[in-house]
Amino acid sequence: MKTLSRFIAVDDDLIDNMLCLYTIKKTGHEFDIQTFNFPEKCFEYIVSEYSKNDDEILTVLLLDINMPTWTGWDFLENFNKLDNKIKQQIKIYILSSSIDEKDIQRAKDNENVIDYIVKPITLDIVSKIILNYSN
Amino acid sequence: METIDNILLEKDHDVISLSDSNNAVKILLIEDNVSNVLFIKKALEESSYSDATLFVAKNLNDSLKFSEENMMLLLLDINLFHGDGLNDVQCVWDNFPYSALIILVMGAYDEAAFETLKTSRHNYITKNEIDHKILDKTIRFAMDRSITIQELKSANIKLSESEDKLKKANRLYAFISQVNQKIAHIKDQESLFQNACQIAFEFGKFKIAWIGMLDRQNNKINLIAQKGILAGDLTHFKDVQLQNNGPQENIIRSGKYFISNNIENDRLLNDWKELSIKLGLGSCIILPIKKQNNILFTFNLYSSEPNFFDKEEIALLVEVTGDISYALETFEKENQRIEAKINLEYNQSRLKEAQKIAHIGNWELSFASGQAMWSEEACRIYGIRPEENIQSFDTWVSFIHPEDLDEVMKITNEAQKTLSSSTLDHRIILKNGDIKHIHSASKFEFDKDGKPIGIYGVSHDVTEIKRKEEQIIQNEKLFRVLIEKGADMTTLATKLGKVTYCSPSITTWLGYNSEEFLLKYPIDLIHSDDIEDYLKNRNSLLQTPGESFHFQQRRLHKNGNWVWCEGTVTNLLDQPGVNSLVSNFRDISKQKKIETQQAFDRNNLNALINNTNDLLWSVDMNFKLITSNERFDELVKYMSGQTIVKGGDILAVGFSTEQLNRFKISYERAFEGDTFTEVVYSDIPTEFWSEISYYPIREGDKIIGTACQSHDITDKRKADKKLKQSESRLKEAQALSHISNWEVDLLTGINTWSDELYNIFKIEREAVQPSLELFFSFIHPDDVNYIKEMIKKAFRTFEDSFFYAKMDTKEGSPRYLYAEWRFEFNENKKPVRLYGILQDITERKNAEITQEKISADIIQRNKNLEQFSYIVSHNLRSPIANIIGLSTAALDEDLEPDMKKEVMKGLSNSVKKLDNVITDLNNILQTKQEVNQIKEIVHFSKIADDIRSSVINLIKKENAVLHFDFSEIDEILTIKSFIHSIFYNLISNSLKYHQPNVPPLIKIKSIKLKGKIELLFTDNGMGIDLKNKGDQVFGLYKRFHKESAEGKGMGLYMVKTQVEAIGGKIHIESEVNKGTTFKIEFET
């Protein structure tokens, strides 16, 4: 298994992205961290970054749901259409302030979603995620 | 040798051929000793008979098998083992009469040999002597002897035949001579026949002789004379039926005799065979006997011997029968002669008697002597003594009545001139003065030269006849008058039914005139249903002269109608002067018609009375039943178990005392003369209502009773009750449900409304005349046209239909109606009735409206709750989550200063965001409440201008152009704050989301349409991708523009909520990078 080497945070809220950046750094690991305000941009990045690169980069993607233009769901829909090779490298976690059961259930029903994390993101949660992908 | 041995041992007999010749002499050896056989055979071979055929039999029985073989010689061993010595010899002798016989004996001392020798009839030979010479010699000797014996035998036979012939001739002669003797003496047929049989038996030596007489009518031969038949066998000869082609029949037909010389084997006499054998009859002859050239008898002769009849015999018998026939002829002639003589004598005396009875006398006048000879009766007629029978013409004339004299003389003279026969009627005066009427007839007598020699004639005393005639004429006149003037019809008819007389009344009643009627027979006149009886009666009447029978029958009128006639037929065929069947009858059609009518009326009345379910009865003044119909009787029986008889007490039946008392009162009321009807209830047998009518019966002025009729009205009662119940229930139901019904008779145009319909319209039934116009007067003007259209359509299609309508309620609160109708068609598919219901559905409608409002409210509340929940979980949670995250970071002591500054700033923004969300939440909840605010007239232009002023800075900043057009309509009755909010949100959205570097152009226009106002908000902004986001456009906190992050997703949600709150609709059209148009409609 590949070692976790990158975090991507997608949220239209700048504060959230800032908090993600801060919390991941706080773990003390050196990760490549990418943040996106618009899911479309993130998607473009993934397509270009992960299909050309022969090296497989195990990535954790933290995805907000409630965003203008593309919502988190729109992103997931598009993501699903990607090659398995790309999809295998990216572990998606929903990171939403919503505590709506409907949202949680919908996320869990999506095969590309690893887990649903209720904001705010904490050091604990990130540590656990990292632990999941440590050998 | 061996072979022969074997043969002899094995078989009882055999043939040993000494020669091959077929014509060889046949010798039979009867011998059971084989060595003897061989021995004799050897001797024969050596003898001159060596070519003979030798047959051998071992015993006597076997030898008999050769009896037909024409043996020349028999050699018989007299000592056969099972033999019987001399008896054997006799047996062989009898069976082989034409063969020579040689006895084989043991020796000369043989006892049998002695016996044979004693008779000297046969040759013998001792066995031990046999050699060919002796055998030869003995055979020859035996043969000679045999021939001699045969010749002797034959001579004997011839002698006996001659004797027989002689005997027979004698016999025949005796027979014929006896017969002829008898014929000469006997004068009658019966004796002749009896004697002939006797002679045949006695002299002719026939066993049976009998004579049969032909009975042509019955085709039989009857035995009339016989001899030789025993009493017990007589029946076989009596009444012998003639067999077609049988002997008797043949004889009678052909006149030839029949012979059977062997009855036993004669096919023609098969029927007689058994009897013949029993009686021992061998032959028979049957000969015809003629009488006056007709074969009327057969002479049957039987002999016990077969072949009895030869030519002579037959010839003789033919002669005998010929003689008998001749005798019969003679008898007949003699009989006739005697008969003629007797007849003459008889006739003479009869003539006298006849003349006496008839009062006819005769007379002869001889011209030669001038004397007239009168018969006895003639003398008597003229009143003179019989001795005075010699009269003359003149003496005769002296008797003539002077008045008739001229006429008598004239006729006699005339007769004398013409010499022709004459008759005359005249009177005579007797010496005693009596006058007699005489009818006389006379005829001239001529000699052979034709010269008249006399006159003879009869005188008939017709005095009595004349008197009777006159009386009859008198009677008949009377009779005719009676008949012809009588109303009854009278006819006379012959035995055969031919009408000989009819009274004139026939024409009156049956239409025929006499001539027509006389051609009629009963069968022409009498109805086919009546004819059979009539003819039957008439036939039996013919057997009983003087009797009558009565009839009632239809007779055919000339006009073709049937006339009922009643009368009698009397057999007066034997009545002198009538000699007819006399019918007297009259027309009874009228009575018959009345009777028929009465019978019909009676039956009809009975049928009527008994074919009703009503009880009918009548009661007399003593409460006794006069009459009743079957139904009444049945009910009485049912109730009381008894039958009430006519005349029975009507108050003793069936009911309780109380009820009977009531009936009594009713009867009494009827007896008073009151005609009335009352309804009676009874619980016998079950609930039973009847309507009893009483009709007093009057006889003149007096009431003699009452007729009663009870009609069962139980069902009607029950039905009425039910109908009333269901009618009132219907009314109740209609009132409760506010459903009325109505109908229009399409033929008469008459409208019928139920009570409830008047209730719905709150009008009095009596005050109005139901009609379509009246109906429309209660319908809200808005709905009248639509309903009229509906009705028009209904009358085109005749389809069932319904409609809802608002009632025109002058006083205010609206009422709603529901109507439904159907057409009824007649058998020709033509609509005849329109019927339907009209229901007041106001309560339901109001309930529905309330319900709808409540439902909408609940749905809205639910939506709000969902929205609230959403807002809480997303929008409220979002800043809080940030605050939690940021505050955690803020507590991090290792936080870099720049980072710390960022965190604090974020914390501050998040708190602000939280505050905004709470404010929005408040706004939303506020909107719901504001719906209940009072509506007011709002001017679009005023609102638009206000907003333009409030955002003037932004307009300037964006170089935006706002264009308003409210020229078509500028005002609306609604909630002002909502319109303001709507305008504000839409304008600010257009300002916010303009295309980069394109100054916003915002157009707002109001359009007035029918019943509604339309507002159009158009911009040239970024537009929204409706394909992807269309469903979310008006959702809360939905944002579509990443470039304008400050959008909260609140505006369009608020717009939609508020438009709908004041009863409008909003619709969006948008194209990305082109612009957006919102269309809002308000109902007015």
Side-chain angles (χ1 to χ4, degrees):
Chain A
M1 199 185 179
K2 291 271 188 271
T3 312
L4 180 64
S5 55
R6 180 180 288 157
F7 273 88
I8 299 172
V10 184
D11 202 321
D12 64 322
D13 195 332
L14 297 174
I15 293 169
D16 281 313
N17 281 344
M18 184 191 78
L19 279 172
C20 279
L21 201 64
Y22 159 77
T23 310
I24 293 161
K25 276 184 181 167
K26 196 73 186 168
T27 60
H29 296 279
E30 288 294 323
F31 291 112
D32 175 23
I33 302 170
Q34 303 288 331
T35 62
F36 295 92
N37 287 341
F38 297 99
E40 303 91 302
K41 298 282 181 197
C42 173
F43 187 73
E44 283 166 20
Y45 168 79
I46 287 168
V47 170
S48 63
E49 187 70 15
Y50 289 79
S51 38
K52 69 179 179 195
N53 198 344
D54 291 340
D55 294 336
E56 292 196 352
I57 307 155
L58 187 64
T59 306
V60 167
L61 192 153
L62 300 167
L63 179 66
D64 186 21
I65 295 170
N66 195 18
M67 293 176 283
T69 63
W70 279 22
T71 62
W73 308 125
D74 294 336
F75 177 88
L76 282 169
E77 206 176 306
N78 285 298
F79 177 80
N80 197 40
K81 291 170 188 162
L82 295 175
D83 277 356
N84 275 339
K85 196 187 163 194
I86 298 173
K87 288 201 273 185
Q88 279 166 9
Q89 298 177 58
I90 298 165
K91 307 295 170 191
I92 299 173
Y93 288 79
I94 297 293
L95 179 61
S96 170
S97 60
S98 171
I99 48 169
D100 192 333
E101 192 54 39
K102 275 186 258 174
D103 290 334
I104 296 166
Q105 196 53 48
R106 191 173 169 188
K108 285 191 172 164
D109 289 344
N110 193 307
E111 57 177 337
N112 295 315
V113 174
I114 306 294
D115 207 349
Y116 186 98
I117 303 164
V118 179
K119 287 179 185 175
I121 192 155
T122 60
L123 192 58
D124 256 12
I125 290 165
V126 178
S127 299
K128 275 178 188 160
I129 291 168
I130 292 165
L131 201 63
N132 273 348
Y133 302 103
S134 313
N135 290 332
Chain B
M1 288 303 265
E2 219 180 279
T3 321
I4 292 167
D5 266 352
N6 287 344
I7 287 164
L8 290 170
L9 286 172
E10 287 164 13
K11 297 181 179 174
D12 294 337
H13 55 88
D14 208 337
V15 179
I16 305 164
S17 192
L18 303 177
S19 114
D20 294 333
S21 165
N22 284 335
N23 300 321
V25 172
K26 290 176 181 170
I27 298 171
L28 174 61
L29 170 62
I30 305 165
E31 173 61 87
D32 51 5
N33 185 304
V34 176
S35 60
N36 281 349
V37 172
L38 297 172
F39 188 73
I40 289 164
K41 181 178 165 264
K42 189 163 172 284
L44 272 174
E45 280 165 350
E46 288 166 1
S47 76
S48 55
Y49 295 97
S50 58
D51 58 349
T53 305
L54 178 64
F55 295 81
V56 179
K58 282 170 93 179
N59 56 49
L60 206 61
N61 269 346
D62 290 346
S63 74
L64 297 182
K65 285 166 185 151
F66 300 106
S67 61
E68 301 294 318
E69 284 285 342
N70 201 14
M71 293 293 168
M72 187 194 76
L73 175 68
L74 268 74
L75 292 163
L76 171 67
D77 179 0
I78 201 156
N79 294 312
L80 290 170
F81 184 70
H82 293 294
D84 193 12
L86 283 174
N87 284 339
D88 289 354
V89 176
Q90 186 60 44
C91 178
V92 169
W93 185 250
D94 288 346
N95 282 290
F96 298 89
Y98 303 107
S99 308
L101 177 63
I102 296 170
I103 314 294
L104 299 174
V105 299
M106 294 300 284
Y109 50 83
D110 189 333
E111 201 183 332
F114 275 118
E115 288 301 318
T116 311
L117 282 173
K118 268 197 232 167
T119 63
S120 300
R121 277 166 63 183
H122 308 295
N123 298 74
Y124 73 94
I125 190 166
T126 48
K127 286 179 190 169
N128 48 8
E129 289 176 351
I130 291 173
D131 66 12
H132 64 96
K133 281 177 191 164
I134 288 173
L135 192 61
D136 225 1
K137 216 165 86 187
T138 315
I139 289 173
R140 201 164 295 131
F141 191 70
M143 298 269 281
D144 284 350
R145 179 193 277 262
S146 174
I147 287 162
T148 310
I149 290 170
Q150 295 306 327
E151 278 172 357
L152 198 62
K153 264 190 195 167
S154 152
N156 267 335
I157 287 166
K158 274 181 186 158
L159 184 64
S160 136
E161 275 176 0
S162 301
E163 279 173 357
D164 283 354
K165 273 185 182 167
L166 192 62
K167 261 193 218 165
K168 193 169 169 182
N170 284 337
R171 184 178 60 80
L172 290 175
Y173 175 74
F175 180 28
I176 193 164
S177 71
Q178 284 292 326
V179 169
N180 282 327
Q181 256 184 27
K182 290 292 174 194
I183 288 171
H185 290 101
I186 293 171
K187 295 298 169 206
D188 66 293
Q189 178 183 298
E190 199 183 332
S191 310
L192 177 63
F193 284 162
Q194 194 51 56
N195 276 291
C197 291
Q198 178 72 34
I199 293 161
F201 182 78
E202 203 175 313
F203 296 92
K205 305 292 179 197
F206 290 104
K207 189 152 194 198
I208 291 173
W210 64 274
I211 292 172
M213 185 170 78
L214 173 66
D215 175 357
R216 277 205 194 277
Q217 206 166 2
N218 296 314
N219 210 29
K220 279 178 175 174
I221 290 285
N222 293 327
L223 183 135
I224 53 170
Q226 66 94 7
K227 183 69 191 175
I229 303 173
L230 297 174
D233 298 323
L234 216 49
T235 49
H236 297 294
F237 297 87
K238 278 187 172 166
D239 290 346
V240 178
Q241 198 74 35
L242 281 182
Q243 300 285 331
N244 206 20
N245 272 326
Q248 301 273 7
E249 197 264 344
N250 257 322
I251 293 160
I252 285 160
R253 191 152 40 76
S254 65
K256 288 175 184 160
Y257 57 82
F258 167 84
I259 283 188
S260 175
N261 268 326
N262 189 350
I263 296 176
E264 204 174 318
N265 294 320
D266 198 320
R267 198 178 42 81
L268 283 170
L269 296 175
N270 259 347
D271 293 348
W272 290 86
K273 194 170 159 184
E274 204 180 317
L275 184 67
S276 301
I277 293 166
K278 188 189 153 204
L279 299 177
L281 305 177
S283 342
C284 76
I285 184 164
I286 309 171
L287 300 123
I289 299 176
K290 287 182 182 174
K291 184 173 176 182
Q292 288 177 315
N293 278 328
N294 290 320
I295 299 159
L296 295 179
F297 308 95
T298 59
F299 196 11
N300 303 259
L301 297 164
Y302 297 81
S303 168
S304 50
E305 298 166 35
N307 302 310
F308 184 79
F309 299 100
D310 55 19
K311 251 163 78 183
E312 293 90 5
E313 184 90 31
I314 293 164
L316 180 98
L317 290 170
V318 170
E319 198 183 329
V320 167
T321 47
D323 290 349
I324 293 172
S325 294
Y326 175 76
L328 293 178
E329 196 79 11
T330 314
F331 294 162
E332 194 61 27
K333 278 179 183 160
E334 180 63 16
N335 282 345
Q336 278 171 4
R337 198 183 61 80
I338 292 165
E339 207 168 292
K341 196 179 158 201
I342 292 168
N343 276 348
L344 188 63
E345 284 164 5
Y346 177 77
N347 285 349
Q348 279 170 346
S349 76
R350 287 298 285 266
L351 185 65
K352 257 190 221 171
E353 272 177 55
Q355 287 195 349
K356 201 169 168 185
I357 292 166
H359 306 297
I360 294 175
N362 64 322
W363 47 266
E364 287 174 36
L365 175 68
S366 164
F367 292 152
S369 65
Q371 281 188 340
M373 187 143 85
W374 291 15
S375 73
E376 256 181 57
E377 183 59 22
C379 296
R380 195 175 295 124
I381 291 169
Y382 279 79
I384 53 175
R385 294 191 305 277
E387 303 88 77
E388 304 173 285
N389 65 341
I390 307 298
Q391 296 284 339
S392 68
F393 181 71
D394 293 337
T395 57
W396 173 64
V397 169
S398 69
F399 284 99
I400 308 290
H401 194 289
E403 285 175 19
D404 297 341
L405 194 59
D406 286 352
E407 180 69 13
V408 168
M409 291 315 287
K410 197 177 136 199
I411 293 169
T412 49
N413 288 339
E414 185 69 22
Q416 226 141 31
K417 248 183 246 168
T418 59
L419 296 177
S420 59
S421 304
S422 64
T423 61
L424 64 139
D425 289 285
H426 59 89
R427 284 167 291 177
I428 55 170
I429 302 171
L430 268 54
K431 283 178 180 153
N432 64 7
D434 285 355
I435 293 170
K436 281 188 178 173
H437 289 266
I438 305 292
H439 171 80
S440 44
S442 60
K443 220 170 175 180
F444 285 89
E445 198 178 5
F446 303 92
D447 66 7
K448 57 182 181 297
D449 300 327
K451 203 182 146 204
I453 54 166
I455 186 164
Y456 64 94
V458 292
S459 292
H460 187 190
D461 179 355
V462 293
T463 313
E464 190 62 17
I465 295 170
K466 262 280 198 281
R467 199 177 58 76
K468 278 184 180 163
E469 256 179 22
E470 270 162 19
Q471 202 177 340
I472 285 168
I473 288 165
Q474 196 58 40
N475 285 347
E476 212 240 9
K477 262 184 198 165
L478 205 65
F479 180 63
R480 267 183 194 274
V481 168
L482 276 174
I483 289 171
E484 301 195 345
K485 298 301 171 196
D488 279 12
M489 292 171 271
T490 307
T491 63
L492 301 182
T494 66
K495 195 170 175 178
L496 296 173
K498 171 98 181 84
V499 181
T500 55
Y501 168 80
C502 63
S503 62
S505 48
I506 289 283
T507 316
T508 315
W509 299 113
L510 293 177
Y512 310 96
N513 60 38
S514 293
E515 288 75 23
E516 286 166 342
F517 197 78
L518 291 182
L519 296 172
K520 301 289 179 187
Y521 282 85
I523 195 108
D524 300 329
L525 289 170
I526 298 169
H527 194 278
S528 58
D529 289 353
D530 303 331
I531 190 84
E532 198 184 325
D533 264 4
Y534 178 79
L535 291 179
K536 211 170 84 190
N537 285 329
R538 198 174 168 282
N539 280 337
S540 53
L541 184 70
L542 290 176
Q543 314 301 319
T544 52
E547 295 296 312
S548 309
F549 71 85
H550 179 260
F551 67 82
Q552 209 178 75
Q553 65 196 190
R554 282 152 287 183
R555 292 198 163 191
L556 188 63
H557 191 280
K558 193 183 174 185
N559 65 14
N561 290 334
W562 291 100
V563 176
W564 272 101
C565 294
E566 184 192 48
T568 53
V569 180
T570 309
N571 180 352
L572 295 178
L573 285 169
D574 292 350
Q575 184 78 28
V578 182
N579 304 109
S580 297
L581 295 168
V582 179
S583 301
N584 282 299
F585 55 97
R586 62 212 66 86
D587 179 351
I588 54 158
S589 297
K590 269 181 198 162
Q591 290 100 296
K592 203 76 189 171
K593 205 166 164 188
I594 290 164
E595 270 174 34
T596 313
Q597 185 60 44
Q598 278 173 347
F600 175 77
D601 288 350
R602 220 167 24 247
N603 292 337
N604 206 17
L605 192 62
N606 276 338
L608 281 174
I609 287 172
N610 290 324
N611 262 332
T612 173
N613 277 327
D614 288 2
L615 314 185
L616 300 172
W617 72 102
S618 53
V619 176
D620 69 11
M621 303 295 284
N622 295 319
F623 303 101
K624 301 279 191 261
L625 181 68
I626 301 171
T627 184
S628 58
N629 71 348
E630 289 167 8
R631 186 77 183 88
F632 177 86
D633 296 344
E634 280 162 21
L635 191 80
V636 166
K637 179 138 195 220
Y638 182 75
M639 291 189 307
S640 64
Q642 299 165 334
T643 46
I644 178 164
V645 294
K646 312 290 175 260
D649 192 348
I650 194 74
L651 296 175
V653 212
F655 293 97
S656 64
T657 320
E658 189 195 344
Q659 276 169 322
L660 287 172
N661 281 335
R662 275 213 300 274
F663 275 127
K664 193 175 178 220
I665 291 163
S666 298
Y667 288 136
E668 280 166 349
R669 189 177 153 192
F671 295 157
E672 295 289 313
D674 201 359
T675 300
F676 62 99
T677 299
E678 59 187 18
V679 172
V680 176
Y681 172 77
S682 158
D683 48 10
I684 303 169
T686 54
E687 182 184 350
F688 183 67
W689 289 89
S690 53
E691 200 175 70
I692 304 181
S693 304
Y694 297 83
Y695 309 95
I697 308 170
R698 289 165 208 273
E699 196 176 73
D701 294 337
K702 220 175 110 193
I703 291 167
I704 58 159
T706 177
C708 312
Q709 178 198 8
S710 168
H711 183 61
D712 182 354
I713 53 162
T714 311
D715 289 345
K716 187 168 164 277
R717 273 265 165 171
K718 284 179 177 171
D720 280 354
K721 214 162 125 187
K722 268 189 190 155
L723 188 64
K724 269 182 196 158
Q725 260 174 16
S726 57
E727 269 175 3
S728 76
R729 276 180 193 158
L730 183 66
K731 263 187 200 170
E732 283 166 20
Q734 290 200 349
L736 283 173
S737 62
H738 304 298
I739 297 174
S740 63
N741 65 319
W742 51 269
E743 61 172 60
V744 183
D745 183 329
L746 297 177
L747 301 176
T748 61
I750 291 170
N751 286 250
T752 312
W753 293 2
S754 75
D755 285 0
E756 184 57 21
L757 204 145
Y758 295 95
N759 287 342
I760 290 170
F761 291 150
K762 299 197 165 37
I763 46 176
E764 292 297 321
R765 185 186 265 279
E766 291 73 21
V768 293
Q769 186 64 41
S771 70
L772 192 61
E773 290 68 37
L774 182 64
F775 168 75
F776 277 122
S777 71
F778 293 104
I779 300 302
H780 195 280
D782 288 356
D783 290 344
V784 169
N785 285 336
Y786 134 78
I787 293 168
K788 279 184 174 166
E789 278 304 312
M790 291 280 295
I791 293 174
K792 255 191 211 166
K793 194 186 162 201
F795 274 95
R796 265 200 322 273
T797 61
F798 300 121
E799 278 169 0
D800 301 345
S801 188
F802 66 91
F803 62 81
Y804 290 93
K806 217 153 85 186
M807 228 169 106
D808 192 5
T809 47
K810 316 279 182 284
E811 74 259 39
S813 71
R815 301 194 70 78
Y816 301 93
L817 300 172
Y818 169 71
E820 196 176 323
W821 69 64
R822 283 179 191 181
F823 282 92
E824 186 184 299
F825 302 90
N826 65 10
E827 63 272 21
N828 300 322
K829 308 272 191 311
K830 207 184 151 207
V832 290
R833 193 167 79 103
L834 175 66
Y835 62 100
I837 55 156
L838 182 75
Q839 184 179 12
D840 181 347
I841 55 162
T842 309
E843 285 169 29
R844 199 176 83 196
K845 194 82 184 172
N846 285 343
E848 269 173 20
I849 290 167
T850 312
Q851 193 67 40
E852 268 171 26
K853 259 188 198 160
I854 291 168
S855 293
D857 232 36
I858 288 169
I859 291 164
Q860 192 55 50
R861 274 168 207 273
N862 207 34
K863 262 190 200 163
N864 291 345
L865 211 58
E866 274 176 24
Q867 289 285 5
F868 186 77
S869 164
Y870 189 86
I871 290 164
V872 169
S873 61
H874 292 93
N875 305 77
L876 202 58
R877 182 75 181 74
S878 179
I880 287 169
N882 279 354
I883 289 166
I884 295 165
L886 290 167
S887 57
T888 308
L891 292 175
D892 182 2
E893 288 171 359
D894 299 339
L895 205 63
E896 285 169 21
D898 284 356
M899 183 63 188
K900 194 164 184 169
K901 202 178 169 186
E902 282 293 314
V903 167
M904 290 316 288
K905 198 174 143 196
L907 205 56
S908 168
N909 279 342
S910 293
V911 172
K912 273 184 199 153
K913 211 165 136 189
L914 183 63
D915 184 47
N916 279 339
V917 170
I918 289 165
T919 311
D920 287 347
L921 211 52
N922 191 46
N923 280 341
I924 291 163
L925 294 174
Q926 198 69 37
T927 308
K928 316 291 179 198
Q929 286 173 2
E930 281 171 2
V931 172
N932 296 328
Q933 284 178 5
I934 294 168
K935 291 174 184 174
E936 57 187 305
I937 298 291
V938 180
H939 293 272
F940 299 130
S941 52
K942 177 85 171 51
I943 301 286
D945 286 343
D946 285 353
I947 291 165
R948 194 207 314 252
S949 306
S950 68
V951 293
I952 192 70
N953 290 337
L954 198 56
I955 290 166
K956 279 182 180 162
K957 180 189 162 198
E958 301 290 354
N959 279 327
V961 177
L962 276 72
H963 183 79
F964 305 143
D965 178 3
F966 302 115
S967 57
E968 273 191 41
I969 181 145
D970 191 26
E971 53 178 48
I972 185 170
L973 178 72
T974 188
I975 298 163
K976 190 184 174 184
S977 61
F978 285 9
I979 293 294
H980 187 274
S981 171
I982 291 161
F983 271 63
Y984 177 82
N985 274 305
L986 289 176
I987 291 167
S988 73
N989 267 354
S990 293
L991 288 171
K992 255 186 245 169
Y993 306 113
H994 63 86
Q995 293 185 57
N997 306 319
V998 178
L1001 174 61
I1002 301 165
K1003 289 181 187 170
I1004 302 172
K1005 182 176 163 57
S1006 70
I1007 301 166
K1008 188 183 181 195
L1009 291 169
K1010 198 183 173 188
K1012 59 186 179 185
I1013 295 168
E1014 207 172 80
L1015 288 170
L1016 292 174
F1017 292 81
T1018 311
D1019 68 23
N1020 58 345
M1022 296 155 75
I1024 299 167
D1025 179 6
L1026 292 175
K1027 227 182 248 173
N1028 290 318
K1029 304 287 178 182
D1031 56 334
Q1032 301 173 10
V1033 168
F1034 299 106
L1036 185 58
Y1037 294 117
K1038 298 296 175 194
R1039 291 161 300 159
F1040 310 101
H1041 304 294
K1042 49 193 173 202
E1043 292 82 4
S1044 315
E1046 68 265 38
K1048 299 179 292 187
M1050 189 67 192
L1052 283 179
Y1053 171 79
M1054 285 300 294
V1055 167
K1056 187 170 189 280
T1057 307
Q1058 285 165 341
V1059 166
E1060 286 174 358
I1062 53 174
K1065 289 174 190 165
I1066 184 160
H1067 178 74
I1068 179 172
E1069 284 174 21
S1070 184
E1071 208 174 326
V1072 177
N1073 295 329
K1074 284 270 174 73
T1076 303
T1077 300
F1078 289 95
K1079 188 165 86 183
I1080 299 170
E1081 284 176 20
F1082 292 110
E1083 302 252 336
T1084 51

